[in-house]
Amino acid sequence: MTFFNNPERLWKLAQIMLGGLNNTLSIFAITLVLSLPLGLLIALGRMSKNKLVSRIVSFYIYIMRGTPLILQIMFIYFVVPQIMPFKTDRFLTVIFAFVINYAAYFAEIFRSGIQSIPVGQREAAQVLGYKRGQTFIRIILPQAIRNVMPSMTNEVITLVKDTALASTVAIAEIMVIAKQQASNSSSAEPYLMAAIIYLVLNGIAEQLCKLVERKINYY
């Protein structure tokens, strides 16, 4: 074994691998912050009584969920610049692709949560004098979020793993560095190190989601 039998080389490998952690965490955090509110808006569009809006949004969700994320990244990075009169930055390309992809998944999760709330609660809110917007924000949305937290947790864990797809356009995240180190050392140990890092990140993300879920259930 090239690294795991040599503590000094293993420590250097860990430092090099963690050098890509910044991009990995940036992609994860920015995607989550932008795709969650966008997903809620898309869910509302999907449930709109306007058939045109609902069909357009439904088609968008179908495209995003029906094609691989890696293909969407490649399309935005390689094809869009040939159509539009501007160049695309690699990192912004990845962020844009991740956001529009995950927003579609979050939209369906939000939609299922919102539709799971009994109609009687809306009617009761109207009797109490709540307006439509107040009913949604104060009564429907909090319960919907509580109901969909397990599904949200699954998507968050998937997002951590999907950050590796940024390697498609050579963003220096964990997987790109693992490939480089594996190639330079002719060893598969950098991939094992990458797997350990992803497991740790997923464990942290899962525990944070469970903490949020417990807080929501408490209230």
Side-chain angles (χ1 to χ4, degrees):
M1 299 182 77
T2 306
F3 296 98
F4 286 86
N5 285 340
N6 188 326
E8 184 178 351
R9 293 198 67 184
L10 180 62
W11 173 242
K12 288 183 179 179
L13 174 64
Q15 288 179 308
I16 294 171
M17 294 288 293
L18 291 174
L21 190 60
N22 183 49
N23 281 334
T24 297
L25 293 178
S26 295
I27 294 169
F28 170 79
I30 296 173
T31 299
L32 204 58
V33 168
L34 296 180
S35 62
L36 281 171
L38 179 59
L40 179 58
L41 291 176
I42 294 171
L44 296 177
R46 174 72 175 80
M47 296 183 294
S48 173
K49 294 181 179 180
N50 187 313
K51 291 185 178 180
L52 178 61
V53 172
S54 179
R55 287 175 181 175
I56 291 174
V57 173
S58 296
F59 183 70
Y60 158 76
I61 293 174
Y62 173 74
I63 294 295
M64 291 296 105
R65 298 179 70 195
T67 57
L69 176 55
I70 189 172
L71 182 61
Q72 295 167 19
I73 294 172
M74 295 176 67
F75 180 85
I76 295 170
Y77 185 72
F78 293 108
V79 179
V80 171
Q82 298 180 16
I83 302 173
M84 305 297 290
F86 57 80
K87 295 183 179 180
T88 54
D89 177 80
R90 291 180 180 181
F91 187 78
L92 292 179
T93 295
V94 169
I95 293 298
F96 182 73
F98 269 75
V99 169
I100 63 174
N101 178 275
Y102 270 84
Y105 283 92
F106 285 135
E108 287 298 276
I109 292 174
F110 277 125
R111 183 173 68 88
S112 65
I114 293 169
Q115 292 181 337
S116 69
I117 307 302
V119 178
Q121 295 203 25
R122 295 182 176 86
E123 295 173 347
Q126 290 177 355
V127 171
L128 293 173
Y130 281 89
K131 295 181 180 179
R132 187 174 179 181
Q134 292 176 319
T135 300
F136 179 77
I137 294 174
R138 296 185 180 183
I139 298 175
I140 305 301
L141 186 59
Q143 295 182 77
I145 292 176
R146 183 190 62 191
N147 292 344
V148 302
M149 274 306 298
S151 299
M152 286 288 187
T153 300
N154 290 336
E155 286 302 315
V156 169
I157 291 174
T158 301
L159 174 57
V160 173
K161 295 181 289 184
D162 277 352
T163 56
L165 296 178
S167 61
T168 307
V169 290
I171 296 293
E173 48 75 57
I174 293 173
M175 274 306 298
V176 168
I177 295 176
K179 289 178 182 178
Q180 292 172 348
Q181 293 301 310
S183 177
N184 293 338
S185 63
S186 299
S187 170
E189 290 169 272
Y191 290 118
L192 178 58
M193 178 66 74
I196 293 171
I197 294 173
Y198 280 117
L199 285 172
V200 171
L201 292 177
N202 269 325
I204 294 172
E206 183 176 6
Q207 292 306 312
L208 289 175
C209 287
K210 287 182 178 179
L211 177 62
V212 172
E213 187 174 355
R214 286 196 295 269
K215 290 290 185 181
I216 293 174
N217 287 335
Y218 175 80
Y219 288 106

